[in-house]
Amino acid sequence: MHDKESTMPDGIPVIRTIAMPADTNPNGDIFGGWLMSQMDLAAGNVAARRSRGRAATVAVEAMSFLSPVAVGDEVSLFARVAKMGRTSMRIEVEAWRRARASEQTTKVTEAVFTFVAIDDDGRPRPIPPEEG
């Protein structure tokens, strides 16, 4: 994953969204479950593109929240395939925040999501080779 804590990864985020009031916990911070769902969406997008079809989340490795997300923050999610198997893949996801009136970015959390490519019946299927 990305080592620098103050610089977002290179490239275009898979998802960029704004944290909204409806996404808050009782303390007024953005709910961790909302952030995890955004990360799952980003990883799922990468998994579906790489497997060229349906893919299901089967595991998420431990997440540590490094920094809170506030209402109005821009949240950028970066995801990449870290390891491929025959039917499964591990996707690293990083979440970064930028306050609305700032250019400073802060890593919020990171996790590894494991996905399995599935067929129309929900059974594991081989992941096609990468196109050249």
Side-chain angles (χ1 to χ4, degrees):
M1 297 209 189
H2 198 69
D3 292 328
K4 294 180 184 175
E5 293 298 323
S6 61
T7 306
M8 287 195 295
D10 292 333
I12 298 170
V14 176
I15 294 174
R16 183 175 281 151
T17 188
I18 304 296
M20 299 298 287
D23 305 319
T24 59
N25 64 25
N27 296 321
D29 294 321
I30 294 302
F31 182 54
W34 175 84
L35 186 57
M36 186 174 179
S37 72
Q38 296 298 309
M39 294 173 75
D40 191 32
L41 285 169
N45 188 30
V46 170
R49 287 184 76 174
R50 177 57 191 90
S51 67
R52 293 199 283 288
R54 289 179 63 190
T57 310
V58 296
V60 180
E61 292 183 15
M63 292 176 67
S64 296
F65 293 97
L66 310 171
S67 175
V69 175
V71 171
D73 284 356
E74 177 185 84
V75 178
S76 297
L77 298 130
F78 296 85
R80 69 176 190 87
V81 175
K83 185 177 180 185
M84 292 290 303
R86 191 179 80 77
T87 62
S88 66
M89 63 198 99
R90 290 168 49 88
I91 299 171
E92 294 177 343
V93 182
E94 293 184 13
W96 288 74
R97 66 173 285 273
R98 181 186 63 80
R100 204 165 177 78
S102 171
E103 291 302 314
Q104 181 180 352
T105 58
T106 306
K107 187 192 286 189
V108 176
T109 189
E110 62 187 13
V112 177
F113 288 72
T114 302
F115 278 78
V116 171
I118 56 174
D119 63 19
D120 290 337
D121 296 319
R123 294 188 189 95
R125 65 176 172 84
I127 297 170
E130 283 193 82
E131 294 178 350

